[in-house]
Amino acid sequence: MLNIREIDHLVLRVSSLARMLDFYCNVLGCSIARRQDTLGLVQLRAGRSLIDLVTVEGELGRTGGKAPGTEGRNLDHFCLRIEPFDREAIRRGLAAHGIAAGAVEQRFGAEGTGPSIYVTDPEGNIVELKGPPGPGG
């Protein structure tokens, strides 16, 4: 059984980055933590967590299909912070349930760059299982 500490971040595919930045920053009080304009990605600080905004026309957003609406998905994936992050134990636990796991890769999250694994739930939602920052995992 995994010990989930919190949601690390979520990723929203957006049609209007300006409107979304206005809402999340000016209405809700988030701040910009990191931008990767070449990918179409703006990461917002939301307390200890992040909200990632990915433009639907950007490199990352295009992989999600049509723009958010009745025929396109808005949420790309969500991330659960896992502690401890024991890659072999996680893989064994997932395999015991017939769940295939992606490769362990170093990815940026709310606490910095650390190991993570992508899995897909039965409805096709992508879930990232994220370890602590640093080379561990």
Side-chain angles (χ1 to χ4, degrees):
M1 182 67 69
L2 298 174
N3 179 28
I4 298 171
R5 191 182 78 184
E6 63 199 9
I7 291 177
D8 182 88
H9 66 275
L10 61 91
V11 180
L12 296 175
R13 297 178 64 249
V14 303
S15 296
S16 174
L17 181 60
R19 283 188 340 181
M20 294 295 274
L21 284 172
D22 180 60
F23 176 79
Y24 282 99
C25 294
N26 297 329
V27 175
L28 298 184
C30 294
S31 60
I32 296 175
R34 185 172 177 226
R35 287 187 81 115
Q36 290 186 286
D37 292 326
T38 57
L39 296 176
L41 168 67
V42 179
Q43 295 174 294
L44 304 177
R45 177 67 51 197
R48 290 173 37 145
S49 301
L50 291 176
I51 298 171
D52 295 354
L53 302 178
V54 175
T55 60
V56 294
E57 71 276 356
E59 182 179 331
L60 295 176
R62 285 192 305 265
T63 64
K66 294 183 179 185
T70 58
E71 295 179 353
R73 47 185 190 123
N74 191 30
L75 181 68
D76 181 79
H77 74 277
F78 67 93
C79 179
L80 300 174
R81 174 66 163 77
I82 306 299
E83 197 169 290
F85 189 89
D86 179 336
R87 71 176 70 204
E88 296 309 318
I90 292 169
R91 286 190 175 286
R92 282 192 306 273
L94 293 168
H97 293 280
I99 305 294
V104 174
E105 294 187 27
Q106 295 291 312
R107 295 185 176 97
F108 185 77
E111 296 177 297
T113 302
S116 78
I117 298 173
Y118 284 167
V119 298
T120 303
D121 76 12
E123 296 282 327
N125 295 298
I126 300 169
V127 181
E128 180 180 354
L129 305 175
K130 181 100 173 55

